[in-house]
């Protein structure tokens, strides 16, 4: 149930299945309204994980519609979509495919593959990435909840230790 290990497996399975010059998995934290980009890889270079606010890019467009977003050639379709997020090599992908990870109607994340050549992705790739997203979303959510439970248990242990230390100090002073 380790979320980072799970996301790593998902990443490797996807890039072994679909061509991708760039790839990311972004998890949405509804409580903070932030995106947690746990895995970002551009031309083989892994970017450090980062948290950022929702911006008005293609990821936002995917979330807003709750449906896959396929851009076959950015140069031809750029007037129909928001600007893609630029990161890593700072290149604009010509092909972009993003799928929402949904639990019911709620988007909990987005998986995206991108290529710097046009027409890399089509309907078959959309179906494949959606199938993967549909399969892993429940496991990701369970891992997130497990991480949260572990974090809260650690906080509780720390608080208990602090209270014990304060009580011991107060008892010695009395």
């Amino acid at each position: 149930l380790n979320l980072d290990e799970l996301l790593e497996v998902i990443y490797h399975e996807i890039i072994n299945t679909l061509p991708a010059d760039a790839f990311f998995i972004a998890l949405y934290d509804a409580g903070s309204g932030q995106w947690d980009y746990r895995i970002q890889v551009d031309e083989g270079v892994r970017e450090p994980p980062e948290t950022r606010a929702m911006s008005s890019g293609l990821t936002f467009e995917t979330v807003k519609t709750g449906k896959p977003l396929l851009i076959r050639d950015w140069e031809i379709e750029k007037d129909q979509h928001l600007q893609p997020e630029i990161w890593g090599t700072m290149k604009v992908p010509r092909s972009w495919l993003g799928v929402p990870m949904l639990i019911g109607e709620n988007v909990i994340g987005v998986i995206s593959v991108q290529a710097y050549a046009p027409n890399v992705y089509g309907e078959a790739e959309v179906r494949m990435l959606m199938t993967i997203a549909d399969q892993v979303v429940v496991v990701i959510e369970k891992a997130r909840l497990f991480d949260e439970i572990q974090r809260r248990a650690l906080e509780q242990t720390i608080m208990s230790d602090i209270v014990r230390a304060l009580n011991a100090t107060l008892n010695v002073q009395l």
Side-chain angles (χ1 to χ4, degrees):
L1 285 175
N2 181 290
L3 183 57
D4 289 325
E5 290 174 8
L6 175 63
L7 294 175
E8 197 65 34
V9 169
I10 295 166
Y11 162 65
H12 285 288
E13 290 301 318
I14 291 172
I15 64 163
N16 287 328
T17 306
L18 295 172
D21 295 321
F23 173 92
F24 69 78
I25 296 177
L27 301 176
Y28 183 62
D29 180 354
S32 68
Q34 299 276 315
W35 282 97
D36 180 6
Y37 286 81
R38 288 280 181 102
I39 296 182
Q40 298 180 100
V41 180
D42 193 357
E43 292 191 330
V45 176
R46 187 175 291 248
E47 298 292 316
E50 68 176 311
T51 302
R52 56 184 167 198
M54 172 80 77
S55 62
S56 60
L58 297 177
T59 305
F60 173 77
E61 193 171 332
T62 304
V63 170
K64 185 175 152 190
T65 64
K67 295 180 181 173
L69 177 59
L70 169 63
I71 297 176
R72 296 173 194 269
D73 187 347
W74 173 252
E75 291 302 316
I76 294 172
E77 300 175 51
K78 62 183 168 187
D79 294 336
Q80 303 165 29
H81 300 284
L82 298 170
Q83 182 72 22
E85 299 88 347
I86 307 298
W87 53 278
T89 61
M90 303 307 283
K91 295 179 185 177
V92 175
R94 294 277 302 265
S95 301
W96 198 95
L97 172 57
V99 298
M101 291 185 285
L102 298 165
I103 292 185
E105 299 287 318
N106 299 321
V107 176
I108 68 148
V110 171
I111 300 173
S112 174
V113 290
Q114 301 157 41
Y116 296 118
N119 302 306
V120 173
Y121 309 117
E123 294 305 320
E125 289 79 12
V126 170
R127 284 190 302 277
M128 181 177 292
L129 198 55
M130 272 305 298
T131 299
I132 292 168
D134 289 344
Q135 296 297 314
V136 301
V137 69
V138 173
V139 179
I140 288 173
E141 190 62 11
K142 283 182 181 179
R144 286 174 79 179
L145 292 171
F146 184 73
D147 280 357
E148 179 65 19
I149 289 168
Q150 284 186 315
R151 185 187 64 74
R152 287 185 182 176
L154 179 60
E155 287 175 357
Q156 199 66 25
T157 300
I158 291 169
M159 290 300 292
S160 294
D161 290 347
I162 291 170
V163 167
R164 262 194 306 282
L166 285 171
N167 283 337
T169 301
L170 289 173
N171 287 337
V172 168
Q173 292 176 354
L174 293 176

